[in-house]
Amino acid sequence: MERQEILRRPRPPQLIAVLDEAVLRRPVLDQPGLMLEQREHLVELATQEHIQVHVVPVDAGMYLGLAGQFIIAEMPDGERVAHADNQLIAQFVDTSTDVAKLAKTWEIVRNEALPRRQSIELIKEVAKSWMP
């Protein structure tokens, strides 16, 4: 929650996130109400001007984003850096060729995702399925 404070700054950064629909539907078995809270929080964030959340629907099948998560950050001077993460290692990426490869992957993954409004509606629909 502390890391999310950056999104509440007077001049917050733009955040664009892509989630797989399966993540929205995966239960937390020992805390059933948590999923509903998480979906509602996600919708609240996704409707803010500086935040975009896109969902890759299950019917997209296998796509490049399933290979692992990564973050691309654009610095104030226009330089881009990245952070790639997996179960064994987190890696800071700053060489221009590697960042460019991740940027290309990002565009491919983002093109699989639903537009912003449709993504928010899907999140709301999934949230209803978690209601008691």
Side-chain angles (χ1 to χ4, degrees), residues 16-62:
I16 304 170
V18 175
L19 307 173
D20 190 276
E21 181 180 349
V23 171
L24 300 173
R25 297 186 182 280
R26 189 168 295 122
V28 178
L29 298 178
D30 60 341
Q31 298 179 8
L34 182 64
M35 296 305 286
L36 179 57
E37 288 178 34
Q38 292 294 316
R39 299 308 164 265
E40 290 171 348
H41 181 66
L42 191 55
V43 168
E44 178 185 320
L45 291 173
T47 57
Q48 295 181 29
E49 186 177 301
H50 63 287
I51 299 174
Q52 294 179 39
V53 176
H54 299 274
V55 178
V56 177
V58 152
D59 63 9
M62 296 294 289

Side-chain angles (χ1 to χ4, degrees), residues 2-132:
E2 288 179 28
R3 290 187 289 177
Q4 291 183 29
E5 287 301 314
I6 192 172
L7 300 174
R8 294 180 187 90
R9 289 181 177 172
R11 290 183 38 180
Q14 179 183 28
L15 172 66
I16 304 170
V18 175
L19 307 173
D20 190 276
E21 181 180 349
V23 171
L24 300 173
R25 297 186 182 280
R26 189 168 295 122
V28 178
L29 298 178
D30 60 341
Q31 298 179 8
L34 182 64
M35 296 305 286
L36 179 57
E37 288 178 34
Q38 292 294 316
R39 299 308 164 265
E40 290 171 348
H41 181 66
L42 191 55
V43 168
E44 178 185 320
L45 291 173
T47 57
Q48 295 181 29
E49 186 177 301
H50 63 287
I51 299 174
Q52 294 179 39
V53 176
H54 299 274
V55 178
V56 177
V58 152
D59 63 9
M62 296 294 289
Y63 65 100
L64 196 53
L66 295 173
Q69 63 185 12
F70 61 91
I71 299 167
I72 300 174
E74 186 169 321
M75 309 314 267
D77 65 1
E79 179 186 4
R80 292 188 305 176
V81 294
H83 182 268
D85 207 357
N86 66 43
Q87 291 182 1
L88 298 176
I89 190 167
Q91 179 181 9
F92 180 72
V93 180
D94 61 354
T95 59
S96 59
T97 53
D98 290 341
V99 173
K101 286 177 187 175
L102 287 174
K104 184 177 180 181
T105 299
W106 167 251
E107 290 305 320
I108 292 168
V109 169
R110 194 165 169 198
N111 284 326
E112 291 293 337
L114 297 170
R116 185 179 189 184
R117 284 191 195 125
Q118 285 179 282
S119 293
I120 291 170
E121 290 306 314
L122 179 57
I123 296 167
K124 288 177 179 178
E125 176 187 316
V126 172
K128 288 177 189 175
S129 73
W130 292 106
M131 290 182 179

